[in-house]
Amino acid sequence: MLVTFKSKAAADVVMYESHAKPILDMLHKDIKRGVITAAESADAVALIEKQIDSSKAHEAAEALERDVHAHHNANGDDNGHEKIEPVTFSARAYPLLDMLREAKKGNYDVLWGV
């Protein structure tokens, strides 16, 4: 299922529900329908930025763990594995974060599920 975020401040942002849910849970918002008011946008931006910083700190450790598992599997060293390139939290959250920043500047709300 898709979630479409709307605001007069920016173009619509469309995300899969499974990707939007962690962000909305962090903001204590319902996935089905809701609003981040202009007054709430500053706090929402700060929370998302904090989570992005936190997730970036763990990216190197996660990449190392994936590499170790790929090279030291049950069959021994595997040099022919494909590189795993996961989409990071920051990449998934950035369009909504950008929308929230613009909404904050223009004093607009961000809505979804309407």
Side-chain angles (χ1 to χ4, degrees):
M1 175 149 219
L2 296 175
V3 177
T4 303
F5 295 94
K6 298 178 178 285
S7 177
K8 291 182 180 179
D12 291 356
V13 173
V14 180
M15 299 174 78
Y16 284 111
E17 186 176 311
S18 61
H19 299 154
K21 186 167 179 15
I23 297 168
L24 293 174
D25 285 348
M26 180 177 50
L27 301 175
H28 306 290
K29 299 291 183 177
D30 183 25
I31 189 74
K32 298 297 178 193
R33 178 180 286 181
V35 61
I36 298 171
T37 65
E40 295 173 318
S41 62
D43 289 338
V45 167
L47 281 170
I48 294 171
E49 287 175 340
K50 182 178 176 183
Q51 183 62 31
I52 287 172
D53 290 343
S54 176
S55 69
K56 283 183 177 181
H58 298 297
E59 285 176 18
E62 291 169 0
L64 177 62
E65 183 179 345
R66 282 193 304 275
D67 195 48
V68 167
H69 287 303
H71 286 288
H72 302 286
N73 57 34
N75 299 326
D77 197 27
D78 178 12
N79 293 321
H81 69 279
E82 292 183 27
K83 184 176 180 183
I84 299 172
E85 296 182 18
V87 178
T88 63
F89 175 81
S90 59
R92 292 194 194 285
Y94 184 80
L96 180 58
L97 178 60
D98 191 44
M99 176 185 270
L100 285 166
R101 286 176 177 152
E102 293 302 314
K104 179 181 158 195
K105 285 182 201 174
N107 201 33
Y108 294 112
D109 296 340
V110 174
L111 307 148
W112 64 96
V114 292

